[in-house]
Amino acid sequence: METTLRGVGVSHGVAIGEVRHMGTAVLEPPAKQIPAEDAEREQGRARQAVEAVAADLTARGNLAGGEAQAVLEAQAMMAQDPELIADVDRRIAVGSTAERAVYDAFAAYRELLAGAGEYLAGRVADLDDVRNRIVARLLGVPMPGVPDSDEPYVLVARDLAPADTALLDPTLVLGFVTEEGGPTSHSAILARALGVPAVVALPGAGELAEGTVIAVDGSTGDIFVNPSDEKKAELETAAAERKAALSASTGPGATADGHKVPLLANVGGPADVPAAVEAGAEGVGLFRTEFLFLDDSKNAPTEEKQVEAYRQVLEAFPEGRVVVRVLDAGADKPLDFLTPSDEPNPALGVRGLRTLLDHPEVLRTQLTALAKAAEGLPVYLEVMAPMVADRADARAFADACREAGLRAKFGAMVEIPSAALRARSILQEVEFLSLGTNDLAQYTFAADRQVGAVSRLQDPWQPALLDLVALSAEGAKAEGKSCGVCGEAASDPLLACVLTGLGVTSLSMGAASIPYVRATLAKYTLAQCERAAAAARAADSAEEAREAAQAVLSGE
Ligand code: PEP
Ligand code: MG
């Protein structure tokens, strides 16, 4: 019998296929005692397993490149954490087997992390994955991860670890569904980068029986279990129509009546550039430079290394616009040498621009590297700061850019409600705004972006979030300046029309979403987008806002 479930659609497209669950290793090795003379051998086994898993994660990262690489390398470092290894050694010395010692040491570390603040909710899944890999290797059982199958399937998991999403084969994995995660979690961002349809935050996903046929609509978040032939045909037709519309639409982003809305790409480094170029990105709207910093948790990358990475991205868009975001460390992206370790609530602590103002030498090196990278290139360089709270923040950032001799436009990200409320004041100091709707939603609704249980509040269709977008765009217009969106909201084609109607001047997203947004935007006039925006803002919930905008655009 056909049933329908509803999660949160985070990556467009329709996938129809059989459920395959993510493999999990035997997770709890028995607690048996070993004789003292075996301890040294067991310690050797544990070390070997740790090294092999770290090497495997690093190799997967090298293969994947881009944002995925940084995440996998961070996991490789977790595996080799000296304190964890010392704890494993200690446990073996008092009689544990290697696998049990690893299991218990990670459990202790996990507890420490879980009690240490919010951002670690996201890190715990990564840590569990590292533990499972080491334990599986020691037990000689298959690695947890993507199922072994020659037939295409829909992957279902509690949460997807970056190590798995990074290497998903899009020809075998038709789509994926997870029980945890929100629209702005790492898994969702990586799914979009891969271009596979995905639905997250689906309660009970783990109970879908292996082999059941499901249809996943990554645009609406609907999952049809045992879909009827009519439903399959309906979804396939809709997907084929979408695909045809996609290939028919090329060129710069614009509404049906020619109102231009540049479509830009979000990148994490040079490895993401080819997909952006192929998708027809008109430039880069968000270069997340922190991924360059995650390689080494103890030091910033050298100026030379930064110049090289920035230059590779800048060179890919001659005559195009490249918006580089300076380092956004802290909260869900902590760096040992910059991020305070004792904050009770890291998302509300020293992160983003606050970190850089506390470490002006790091900001100076980054800005100098950018100035050098742009030298002699015909690119429109724009540089922006994350987590700007007020005019003083914006001024401090603009001063630092001027002092570094940077010839570029300086801008501020709007990620904190105060920045949206006082957009005009901030624009006295900088030349453009870019809305980071992921964090803006997190702070507007007091809802951690890593936590699946509050994903309802992370929905960028929330009218309160749309109000803040409108305030920012209106402020920028009044100052004769631009206001783009570079958060995940820009990658939802319908919402992209609404954002355009709210007065947003450019949209930046993962490369895979660009064709969808371009095709949808081209169907409607600016006046229709404005009417849809007004209808969405008049609604009382995200769902009603989406329906109201859809009704206006489809002329109901
Ligand atoms: C955002 O917060 O919307 C954003 C674009 O930045 P990040 O997702 O990297 O925090
Ligand atoms: Mg942000």
Side-chain angles (χ1 to χ4, degrees):
M1 201 187 59
E2 181 179 306
T3 46
T4 309
L5 306 171
R6 168 67 62 88
V8 179
V10 294
S11 184
H12 304 296
V14 168
I16 302 176
E18 288 188 9
V19 167
R20 293 273 178 282
H21 285 273
M22 194 75 165
T24 44
V26 178
L27 293 185
E28 189 167 349
K32 58 175 194 245
Q33 281 284 316
I34 54 160
E37 63 268 26
D38 287 354
E40 206 171 309
R41 186 177 47 97
E42 284 296 279
Q43 286 167 340
R45 280 181 66 226
R47 266 162 214 260
Q48 256 177 9
V50 162
E51 272 156 32
V53 166
D56 175 56
L57 289 165
T58 308
R60 282 163 177 259
N62 290 340
L63 262 177
E67 298 190 7
Q69 180 166 18
V71 175
L72 290 167
E73 283 175 358
Q75 275 194 301
M77 268 166 10
M78 270 182 196
Q80 289 166 305
D81 185 293
E83 283 194 22
L84 254 174
I85 293 178
D87 192 19
V88 170
D89 277 350
R90 265 194 305 276
R91 288 172 192 272
I92 295 174
V94 294
S96 246
T97 59
E99 44 273 25
R100 185 70 204 193
V102 167
Y103 182 81
D104 289 338
F106 271 78
Y109 193 39
R110 186 184 205 279
E111 238 169 66
L112 209 78
L113 289 189
E118 274 177 69
Y119 88 89
L120 294 163
R123 280 288 179 280
V124 163
D126 296 359
L127 185 75
D128 286 348
D129 179 61
V130 173
R131 177 203 58 193
N132 292 351
R133 284 170 191 281
I134 302 173
V135 171
R137 180 167 284 272
L138 285 165
L139 290 173
V141 300
M143 280 287 151
V146 178
D148 235 359
S149 171
D150 297 334
E151 295 296 317
Y153 58 89
V154 178
L155 182 65
V156 179
R158 188 172 153 65
D159 202 357
L160 283 171
D164 301 311
T165 43
L167 286 190
L168 285 180
D169 175 354
T171 61
L172 277 183
V173 179
L174 301 165
F176 65 70
V177 176
T178 66
E179 190 153 344
E180 288 292 332
T184 62
S185 60
H186 276 141
S187 296
I189 293 174
L190 289 169
R192 280 188 286 264
L194 276 171
V196 280
V199 170
V200 301
L202 180 78
E207 281 136 47
L208 288 166
E210 187 86 358
T212 315
V213 174
I214 60 170
V216 180
D217 188 333
S219 303
T220 60
D222 285 334
I223 307 282
F224 303 93
V225 184
N226 295 318
S228 62
D229 288 344
E230 293 85 71
K231 177 54 80 184
K232 283 194 215 162
E234 183 194 312
L235 287 169
E236 271 162 356
T237 310
E241 278 173 11
R242 269 186 251 170
K243 213 163 169 202
L246 287 186
S247 45
S249 117
T250 51
T255 57
D257 55 337
H259 171 74
K260 288 206 162 48
V261 188
L263 302 179
L264 310 166
N266 291 355
V267 302
D272 294 334
V273 164
V277 172
E278 198 186 322
E282 295 165 61
V284 168
L286 169 63
F287 179 176
R288 289 183 161 104
T289 57
E290 54 277 10
F291 289 99
L292 293 171
F293 286 69
L294 294 179
D295 279 0
D296 178 350
S297 67
K298 306 231 165 4
N299 307 290
T302 61
E303 186 180 300
E304 293 70 45
K305 189 174 169 202
Q306 292 190 49
V307 173
E308 197 187 310
Y310 301 150
R311 202 165 169 95
Q312 282 180 45
V313 175
L314 295 178
E315 275 173 347
F317 294 95
E319 316 280 326
R321 207 170 129 198
V322 175
V323 187
V324 179
R325 172 174 76 188
V326 292
L327 177 65
D328 183 19
D332 54 339
K333 290 171 277 197
L335 287 178
D336 284 355
F337 68 104
L338 294 177
T339 310
S341 58
D342 53 354
E343 291 182 324
N345 200 340
L348 302 181
V350 180
R351 63 161 296 202
L353 178 64
R354 302 164 186 181
T355 308
L356 293 172
L357 297 180
D358 280 357
H359 296 270
E361 69 294 347
V362 175
L363 179 58
R364 200 173 317 118
T365 306
Q366 190 171 24
L367 295 173
T368 310
L370 269 169
K372 288 192 180 161
E375 242 163 46
L377 293 181
V379 67
Y380 298 101
L381 176 62
E382 302 187 7
V383 182
M384 64 184 182
M387 295 289 293
V388 170
D390 60 6
R391 182 169 174 175
D393 271 355
R395 186 186 310 127
F397 177 62
D399 284 347
C401 291
R402 280 187 286 268
E403 274 161 29
L406 195 58
R407 286 214 308 278
K409 273 191 178 182
F410 316 140
M413 287 188 76
V414 177
E415 304 191 277
I416 306 175
S418 61
L421 293 165
R422 303 305 302 263
R424 291 191 70 174
S425 153
I426 285 172
L427 284 168
Q428 304 311 304
E429 305 292 343
V430 292
E431 291 167 82
F432 68 94
L433 298 179
S434 181
L435 284 145
T437 48
N438 308 335
D439 276 312
L440 190 57
Q442 160 162 273
Y443 295 119
T444 302
F445 298 102
D448 190 324
R449 57 193 278 196
Q450 310 288 319
V451 176
V454 292
S455 66
R456 178 183 81 79
L457 296 167
Q458 276 289 334
D459 189 327
W461 280 93
Q462 289 276 3
L465 186 69
L466 301 181
D467 285 349
L468 291 174
V469 171
L471 260 182
S472 310
E474 283 158 12
K477 190 170 178 197
E479 295 296 329
K481 296 182 173 175
S482 62
C483 174
V485 171
C486 66
E488 296 302 309
S491 64
D492 173 337
L494 195 61
L495 186 51
C497 298
V498 165
L499 296 171
T500 301
L502 293 173
V504 156
T505 53
S506 64
L507 297 164
S508 190
M509 64 206 85
S513 300
I514 290 178
Y516 289 90
V517 170
R518 184 194 289 120
T520 307
L521 200 57
K523 288 206 296 206
Y524 307 109
T525 62
L526 178 59
Q528 282 176 304
C529 292
E530 285 169 349
R531 280 200 297 277
R537 279 184 78 188
D540 283 318
S541 70
E543 194 155 85
E544 278 173 34
R546 192 183 284 111
E547 279 164 13
Q550 180 73 71
V552 169
L553 292 179
S554 52
E556 281 167 19

